[in-house]
Amino acid sequence: MAFCEVKEKVLKNGLKIIFIEDHSSPVSTFQVWYKVGSMDEPEGKSGISHLLEHLMFRGSRNYPGNVFSKIIQSQGGIDNAFTTKDYTVYFQKLSPSKIQTSISLEADRMANLLLLPEDFELEKKIVLEERRQRYDDDPESLMFEEVISVAFKNHSYRKPVIGWIEDIQSITLDDVKNYYHEYYCPNNAFIIVAGDIKQKEVIGQIKEKFENIPSCKINPPRKNLYEPEQYGERRVILKKQTHLPMLVMAYKVPAYPQKDSLSLEVLSTIMGEGKSSRLYRKLVIEKALVVDVSTGNSPLSRDGFLFFIVASLKDVEKIDEVRKIIEEEIDRIKNEQPSEKEIEKAKNQVEASFLFNQDSVFGYALYLGRFEILGDWKMIDRYREEIIKVQSEDVQNVTKKYFNFNNLSIGVLLPR
């Protein structure tokens, strides 16, 4: 988005607005980001962030009933929302001339959500069914949930975003109301309005609807995040009806802006992203032991998370052999730095992926929002510059630092 202009303004109640003017095409997006996700949830109430997300579509004082999406659709737009471990986002994509519709709807549900008992009971049932379909009946998703929960003993990241069944069942309407009033206020949110808009025109509309919404009475509560030192490998074995056995290896790693997170991104590309990666060539092409293998890293988290290595095996008897090969490939990098050619290729891939994900107004706005969650959207340019500076030695150092027995959690999914 080289030709767009980004500006920001903070209203009297603490609500920040980020404007992205891009007149290359007649589209726009309006996004409201709340700085609250599953990591902020009280003990015993996992899933409350996601449940509240559902209830945000159930009506507000000036728009009662299940009309929010219908109104957006009547204007030719689309809308949705998603909850993560770090934040919750509500968004619409629509014609720039209809942006006032988003402003009015979002302001009303930030200030005047109805939260009626009948809607609460219905949405809780829907969430429980969603949990059953997406996790309890999905062996691979359940495997990841189990690995994450054993990797973290104390940190809030151990809890699934959708919540544990017993926790969801225990959530009351008063719990949700309290949570809404604690976190859904202007000084714990920001707006991104992007596309073929004019800041001078839009700012007046936003101020009119949002500026009189009161700030939180007290600052939203934040947890003291702490994870005790790990001693030894942690392991979980899951037996479910599945076609292929799966091996998941997860190492705790830091998040951006910690510099190691950048080297880990490059390492992830070298190890397991794409068919030219080391693990794919070794395990899929050369040894023919797995159907697929990949790596995953999440540098743009509010706190350090996990570096995943995931292999779908052909033969359940080969799990130990596959693990041994993966660890040999890790040791190769510990003992011998990747070549400059390999490092340059990986950095090019990381940079390209980073840029391609921003090749639309909507995608660029999402990335800016993720950096704003970390502290400042302006870090987006620094991130790209720092990726380019990663050296072969840096990749070797993070491999030695984080890929060891006392930092590893393993999950094995076996056919039942």
Side-chain angles (χ1 to χ4, degrees):
M1 307 302 290
F3 302 107
C4 66
E5 185 178 11
V6 184
K7 292 183 178 178
E8 67 175 41
K9 182 175 180 60
V10 181
L11 303 186
K12 292 175 184 175
N13 56 11
L15 179 65
K16 178 185 280 192
I17 306 148
I18 300 169
F19 302 92
I20 306 171
E21 282 200 38
D22 176 4
H23 303 291
S24 61
S25 57
V27 296
S28 68
T29 180
F30 191 84
Q31 303 176 358
V32 180
W33 292 63
Y34 291 95
K35 299 175 186 176
V36 59
S38 62
M39 72 184 299
D40 302 292
E41 295 169 343
E43 290 303 313
K45 302 296 177 185
S46 66
I48 193 170
S49 304
H50 177 245
L51 178 56
L52 175 55
E53 177 212 308
H54 276 237
L55 287 163
M56 286 283 280
F57 290 87
R58 281 287 169 180
S60 54
R61 186 171 63 197
N62 295 309
Y63 301 96
N66 190 18
V67 300
F68 196 101
S69 297
K70 294 173 184 171
I71 293 173
I72 293 296
Q73 288 165 15
S74 73
Q75 300 293 303
I78 58 173
D79 71 312
N80 211 331
F82 56 90
T83 306
T84 75
K85 59 188 188 304
D86 298 316
Y87 52 82
T88 308
V89 183
Y90 302 83
F91 66 85
Q92 298 84 45
K93 298 177 184 177
L94 67 180
S95 164
S97 64
K98 311 293 185 185
I99 205 80
Q100 177 64 49
T101 303
S102 288
I103 294 170
S104 299
L105 290 167
E106 290 290 3
D108 201 48
R109 67 178 174 182
M110 178 185 283
N112 306 307
L113 195 63
L114 289 177
L115 292 171
L116 300 174
E118 56 270 28
D119 293 330
F120 170 73
E121 293 301 331
L122 177 61
E123 288 300 336
K124 199 155 89 165
K125 289 179 183 174
I126 291 172
V127 168
L128 285 166
E129 178 60 19
E130 183 181 342
R131 156 118 221 146
R132 186 186 67 78
Q133 290 185 15
R134 290 175 54 190
Y135 292 89
D136 302 333
D137 291 347
D138 184 332
E140 293 187 1
S141 296
L142 196 60
M143 181 79 264
F144 278 99
E145 186 179 90
E146 290 297 308
V147 171
I148 292 168
S149 67
V150 300
F152 294 102
K153 273 186 175 178
N154 183 65
H155 196 291
S156 297
Y157 280 168
R158 73 186 186 283
K159 298 179 293 186
V161 172
I162 199 165
W164 304 117
I165 290 177
E166 293 77 7
D167 284 359
I168 299 168
Q169 290 171 333
S170 77
I171 295 171
T172 66
L173 182 55
D174 283 342
D175 291 333
V176 177
K177 287 180 178 177
N178 291 335
Y179 199 70
Y180 170 71
H181 290 299
E182 280 183 329
Y183 291 100
Y184 275 51
C185 36
N187 53 328
N188 195 48
F190 60 91
I191 289 171
I192 300 180
V193 54
D196 190 16
I197 51 103
K198 292 181 179 176
Q199 180 195 343
K200 291 181 180 177
E201 295 177 1
V202 176
I203 183 61
Q205 299 169 346
I206 294 176
K207 286 180 72 173
E208 179 188 347
K209 296 293 183 181
F210 280 92
E211 197 160 41
N212 291 327
I213 300 174
S215 305
C216 294
K217 292 178 181 175
I218 57 173
N219 289 330
R222 297 295 178 204
K223 291 184 175 179
N224 182 22
L225 299 172
Y226 166 68
E227 179 62 22
E229 186 174 351
Q230 181 172 339
Y231 297 101
E233 174 187 309
R234 295 173 185 168
R235 190 177 181 90
V236 57
I237 298 173
L238 187 63
K239 292 185 178 180
K240 299 286 282 186
Q241 286 188 340
T242 182
H243 297 297
L244 295 172
M246 186 168 75
L247 172 67
V248 178
M249 301 171 70
Y251 298 86
K252 292 194 194 76
V253 292
Y256 192 74
Q258 222 273 17
K259 289 288 178 62
D260 284 353
S261 67
L262 300 158
S263 306
L264 287 159
E265 272 294 271
V266 178
L267 174 66
S268 178
T269 302
I270 291 172
M271 290 290 288
E273 294 186 18
K275 294 184 178 179
S276 62
S277 64
R278 290 191 180 197
L279 291 176
Y280 193 93
R281 283 186 283 124
K282 177 66 75 173
L283 288 168
V284 179
I285 299 173
E286 183 181 331
K287 299 286 186 180
L289 289 171
V290 306
V291 174
D292 193 24
V293 61
S294 61
T295 55
N297 187 35
S298 305
L300 303 184
S301 299
R302 277 169 56 188
D303 203 9
F305 192 51
L306 297 169
F307 185 110
F308 289 102
I309 302 172
V310 183
S312 299
L313 286 77
K314 294 180 178 178
D315 184 349
V316 71
E317 301 296 328
K318 300 293 185 182
I319 288 176
D320 289 342
E321 184 178 351
V322 169
R323 176 183 172 174
K324 183 172 179 288
I325 291 171
I326 290 172
E327 291 179 330
E328 286 173 351
E329 288 299 319
I330 291 171
D331 288 341
R332 271 185 64 199
I333 294 182
K334 288 181 179 178
N335 296 324
E336 182 181 353
Q337 293 179 8
S339 68
E340 288 304 317
K341 183 179 179 182
E342 191 174 24
I343 288 289
E344 284 305 312
K345 178 185 173 186
K347 288 194 294 186
N348 289 339
Q349 288 177 295
V350 173
E351 183 187 18
S353 174
F354 185 66
L355 294 175
F356 291 163
N357 284 326
Q358 304 169 43
D359 66 356
S360 67
V361 167
F362 181 75
Y364 184 58
L366 281 184
Y367 257 82
L368 234 58
R370 294 175 72 185
F371 280 96
E372 179 66 18
I373 287 290
L374 299 185
D376 190 345
W377 58 267
K378 299 182 187 72
M379 288 194 293
I380 193 169
D381 293 328
R382 197 175 84 201
Y383 181 84
R384 183 185 169 197
E385 292 168 3
E386 290 174 338
I387 281 287
I388 296 170
K389 293 177 182 175
V390 171
Q391 300 295 311
S392 184
E393 181 183 0
D394 302 324
V395 173
Q396 185 182 48
N397 287 339
V398 295
T399 310
K400 290 179 178 177
K401 188 173 180 180
Y402 299 105
F403 289 72
N404 57 70
F405 182 73
N406 287 330
N407 196 36
L408 171 63
S409 298
I410 284 193
V412 178
L413 174 61
L414 301 174
R416 186 167 59 191

